């Protein structure tokens, strides 16, 4: 568990569980399981996509100034670029994330403060590898071995080559380091039913901590 600053705690009601892990580890499946249990879920990718496909959003002016090669003529981020150019261009990847992050966090906190549940899920593969500029209450780390993740991604994205997938693995492995923070590990290498049982068990644990607050 992680402490929340007094100013932040006074402005929101729900605890935050950061659901993270490498690509293909099953974050979305786990998030869907929590959602079926009535837990509000928000995904960083969904929030970021809403921003970078809105040419009226102030973030896009900054991105166009710093990374014009990533933009379309109408002022949006080029579709598919997150899994092509940015998978091999670490510097552009980091710059884009740095520009988007404050706007994404603002949108996620605004959503979180509107929730009345005991806790919410933030699904993200990007936030934990940055210097800690926000606070959360617990981390749930999804894990699957590389062979399992590779198989899932090739089924989900048959146009991706194995080399492209492994390049993404390598980038995440070098960056997703928790800096000695505690987390709950959920191993996801079995069936959907096994994963749902793990999600239910973890949900009951969270509710035992926060259900009476």
């Amino acid at each position: 568990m992680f402490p929340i600053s007094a100013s932040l705690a006074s402005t929101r009601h729900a605890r935050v569980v950061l659901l993270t892990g490498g690509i293909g580890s099953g974050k979305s499946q786990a998030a869907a399981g929590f959602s079926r249990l009535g837990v509000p879920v928000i995904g960083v990718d969904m929030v970021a996509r809403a921003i970078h496909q809105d040419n009226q959003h102030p973030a896009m002016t900054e991105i166009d100034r710093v990374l014009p090669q990533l933009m379309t003529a109408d002022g949006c981020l080029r579709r598919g670029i997150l899994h092509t150019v940015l998978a091999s261009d670490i510097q552009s990847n980091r710059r884009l994330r740095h520009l988007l992050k404050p706007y994404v966090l603002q949108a996620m906190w605004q959503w979180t403060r509107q929730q009345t549940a005991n806790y919410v899920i933030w699904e993200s593969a990007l936030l934990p590898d940055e210097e800690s500029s926000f606070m959360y209450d617990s981390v749930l780390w999804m894990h699957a071995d590389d062979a399992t993740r590779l198989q899932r991604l090739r089924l989900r994205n048959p146009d991706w080559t194995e080399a492209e997938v492994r390049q993404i693995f390598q980038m995440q492995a070098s960056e997703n380091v928790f800096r000695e923070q505690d987390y709950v590990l959920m191993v996801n290498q079995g069936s959907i039913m096994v994963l749902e049982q793990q999600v239910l068990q973890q949900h009951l644990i969270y509710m035992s901590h926060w259900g009476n607050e």
Side-chain angles (χ1 to χ4, degrees):
M1 305 297 174
F2 298 88
I4 300 295
S5 66
S7 60
L8 188 58
S10 65
T11 59
R12 67 179 179 83
H13 303 286
R15 297 280 186 163
V16 174
V17 173
L18 188 65
L19 173 61
T20 190
I23 187 171
S25 61
K27 295 184 299 296
S28 296
Q29 290 178 335
F34 281 105
S35 181
R36 284 191 289 271
L37 293 171
V39 180
V41 174
I42 188 170
V44 166
D45 286 349
M46 177 186 68
V47 174
R49 188 178 299 114
I51 292 173
H52 66 61
Q53 292 303 314
D54 177 6
N55 60 10
Q56 300 300 311
H57 197 285
M60 302 316 296
T61 301
E62 297 181 43
I63 294 172
D64 188 37
R65 176 177 55 83
V66 177
L67 298 166
Q69 71 275 19
L70 306 184
M71 304 293 288
T72 64
D74 60 354
C76 296
L77 200 67
R78 286 160 47 195
R79 290 187 180 276
I81 202 166
L82 298 179
H83 297 305
T84 54
V85 174
L86 295 184
S88 57
D89 186 345
I90 296 177
Q91 288 300 109
S92 293
N93 195 318
R94 287 176 175 168
R95 286 182 179 179
L96 178 64
R97 283 158 42 189
H98 177 74
L99 292 170
L100 282 173
K101 185 177 180 180
Y103 296 101
V104 170
L105 283 174
Q106 181 182 32
M108 293 182 74
W109 277 123
Q110 182 177 5
W111 173 87
T112 300
R113 291 176 183 128
Q114 295 171 349
Q115 307 307 311
T116 58
N118 296 100
Y119 75 97
V120 301
I121 296 286
W122 285 14
E123 180 195 347
S124 171
L126 297 181
L127 293 177
D129 61 9
E130 301 286 350
E131 293 292 341
S132 182
S133 60
F134 67 99
M135 304 295 285
Y136 42 86
D137 299 274
S138 186
V139 175
L140 180 57
W141 176 268
M142 301 297 299
H143 172 77
D145 62 32
D146 284 0
T148 301
R149 294 166 61 205
L150 177 62
Q151 182 181 32
R152 289 171 180 166
L153 287 170
R154 294 301 302 279
L155 286 173
R156 203 164 68 199
N157 304 279
D159 55 324
W160 292 9
T161 66
E162 181 173 339
E164 289 173 333
V165 173
R166 292 196 179 279
Q167 175 66 27
I168 296 172
F169 284 179
Q170 184 177 1
M171 287 178 63
Q172 290 189 335
S174 65
E175 295 182 347
N176 279 338
V177 178
F178 264 107
R179 296 183 173 88
E180 300 182 354
Q181 297 174 351
D182 293 328
Y183 59 91
V184 175
L185 182 67
M186 184 174 289
V187 178
N188 176 32
Q189 295 186 179
S191 66
I192 295 293
M193 184 178 297
V194 171
L195 177 60
E196 289 183 345
Q197 290 173 346
Q198 292 183 85
V199 167
L200 175 58
Q201 182 180 12
Q202 193 58 45
H203 171 65
L204 294 175
I205 291 172
Y206 290 142
M207 289 302 293
S208 71
H209 287 304
W210 303 322
N212 295 320
E213 294 184 345

